Amino acid sequence: MRSIQFREALREAMCEEMRHDPNILLMGEEVAEYNGAYKVSQGMLDEFGKKRIIDTPIAELGFTGIGVGIAMNGLRPIIEFMTFNFSLVAIDQIINSAAKLYQMSGGQFNIPIVFRGPTASAGQLGAQHSQAFENWFANCPGLKVVVPSNPYDAKGLLKTAIRDNDPVIFMESEQMYGDKGEVPEEEYLIPIGKADIKKTGSDITIVSFGKIMKVALATADELSKENISAEVIDMRTVRPIDYQTIIDSVKKTNRLLIIEEAWPLASISSEITYMIQKNAFDYLDSPILRVTTTDTPLGYAPTFIQEFLPTIEKSVKAVKQIMYL
């Protein structure tokens, strides 16, 4: 099986679907002539032409609204945000139009649209360009929210998202575009709403998603050096959430740590914590802990970034606290 970059997996997903369906198009800032801000759409203008690979002005509210409108009229747009920080400019169209029109029209209008781009921190980008909004969008019924952690999942989930008749928020990471992983050449799809157990274990369950899966898996590796067996679950989608996979794992390990790059209040980890205490309380041998970002806007200095983000060290310490070590 060949190994390709995360950005290449995304490109393959879009190209394969666009070859199959002429109603699919890509729209966003620098996606055409510049080949994408992160080179995800490299070469797509040459293959599909300017009517299907469309450069937009720096006007997220405007081109997001256009995307919703053409989705109502039979096209299947992919809207790329240069970063989901900029999606806040367009959030009215995402929440009040894309997410609600199917219900408000009594089922007359499907909105088959994908909003994709990088989320969360990516180094020294400052407070306004380093925010994670997965839990914001997951809070809104009518949206599906996908956060892949590797090239294989990214391709399979993006193809599924493009085929979905409902709006999908597809969140990536600038720091993952160059990551390599094995991806089959034959077609495959991954269902939205199904978590994946990346590593089996017996002593504690660690749950995460997106690029923080790197921290989760590295934490499990560090724990194994001390004979602590961690089961690691990649949520892959945060709306819908595959609660059952997490519940079943906790019933086996009796302990849970959730690692998430988000502010702690009203986060995805808050939701998982509630659902586990509701459905698996009697199986818990200790309180659930979370490793999240610090509850403050992200500073610019590298020392602030290190202190702000979830780390292997913080996660190992949390596991030992859970296990009373």
Side-chain angles (χ1 to χ4, degrees):
M1 190 183 299
R2 80 254 165 82
S3 180
I4 64 174
Q5 290 184 341
F6 196 102
R7 61 167 58 87
E8 294 174 302
L10 296 173
R11 184 188 312 136
E12 284 192 359
M14 291 190 290
C15 288
E16 288 176 12
E17 294 304 304
M18 290 180 74
R19 290 168 193 145
H20 174 74
D21 186 347
N23 289 319
I24 299 169
L25 58 89
L26 173 66
M27 181 189 311
E29 295 157 357
E30 299 184 345
V31 299
E33 296 289 344
Y34 190 66
N35 286 307
Y38 312 104
K39 300 302 177 264
V40 173
S41 57
Q42 189 166 26
M44 292 180 68
L45 176 62
D46 293 337
E47 179 173 356
F48 298 105
K50 62 182 181 181
K51 289 187 177 180
R52 297 184 68 193
I53 309 297
I54 304 170
D55 278 331
T56 66
I58 303 174
E60 286 79 8
L61 179 62
F63 64 76
T64 300
I66 291 170
V68 174
I70 61 178
M72 291 176 68
N73 284 278
L75 298 181
R76 306 182 75 88
I78 304 165
I79 303 298
E80 179 180 307
F81 295 118
M82 193 176 293
T83 161
F84 264 96
N85 293 277
F86 301 161
S87 73
L88 297 191
V89 181
I91 201 165
D92 177 57
Q93 285 291 345
I94 298 171
I95 300 297
N96 284 325
S97 295
K100 298 176 181 175
L101 280 170
Y102 181 80
Q103 189 264 358
M104 292 175 66
S105 68
Q108 295 181 78
F109 291 107
N110 288 107
I111 310 296
I113 188 170
V114 175
F115 302 101
R116 51 155 295 268
T119 183
S121 65
Q124 291 179 270
L125 298 179
Q128 295 176 332
H129 293 72
S130 303
Q131 302 162 105
F133 296 111
E134 293 91 332
N135 57 320
W136 288 37
F137 290 114
N139 183 254
C140 182
L143 297 177
K144 297 173 183 176
V145 183
V146 179
V147 197
S149 67
N150 60 82
Y152 177 87
D153 288 353
K155 182 176 179 180
L157 285 164
L158 184 53
K159 285 172 70 71
T160 301
I162 293 168
R163 296 185 188 189
D164 201 297
N165 285 326
D166 295 315
V168 179
I169 306 289
F170 196 93
M171 309 184 91
E172 305 149 13
S173 168
E174 290 180 48
Q175 294 181 324
M176 285 167 41
Y177 285 130
D179 289 358
K180 282 192 169 184
E182 292 187 343
V183 177
E185 293 190 37
E186 62 272 15
E187 182 174 80
Y188 67 97
L189 300 171
I190 296 176
I192 291 174
K194 181 61 180 173
D196 186 36
I197 299 174
K198 300 296 189 189
K199 182 180 183 297
T200 59
S202 57
D203 294 328
I204 187 167
T205 299
I206 299 176
V207 174
S208 191
F209 55 88
K211 80 168 186 284
I212 299 302
M213 278 300 300
K214 295 180 181 181
V215 175
L217 290 167
T219 297
D221 289 342
E222 284 298 311
L223 293 169
S224 68
K225 298 175 183 177
E226 302 185 42
N227 295 317
I228 299 172
S229 174
E231 182 148 292
V232 183
I233 297 175
D234 185 345
M235 294 179 68
R236 299 201 291 201
T237 63
V238 298
R239 189 178 183 108
I241 292 174
D242 180 1
Y243 296 108
Q244 197 59 52
T245 294
I246 303 171
I247 291 168
D248 291 344
S249 179
V250 170
K251 286 182 177 180
K252 178 176 69 171
T253 67
N254 310 116
R255 303 172 184 89
L256 176 61
L257 172 69
I258 310 154
I259 312 174
E260 178 184 11
E261 185 179 357
W263 294 309
L265 181 64
S267 62
I268 299 299
S269 56
S270 303
E271 168 67 13
I272 296 170
T273 300
Y274 169 78
M275 291 300 291
I276 294 300
Q277 68 81 30
K278 180 176 183 289
N279 293 285
F281 180 81
D282 291 338
Y283 293 87
L284 290 170
D285 286 345
S286 60
I288 299 167
L289 291 185
R290 306 179 296 158
V291 175
T292 65
T293 60
T294 305
D295 196 18
T296 179
L298 177 57
Y300 181 79
T303 50
F304 290 160
I305 296 171
Q306 179 69 12
E307 188 64 29
F308 177 83
L309 293 172
T311 63
I312 300 167
E313 293 75 20
K314 294 175 187 177
S315 301
V316 168
K317 181 179 179 181
V319 167
K320 291 183 177 180
Q321 183 178 343
I322 292 169
M323 299 186 70
Y324 301 111
L325 297 176

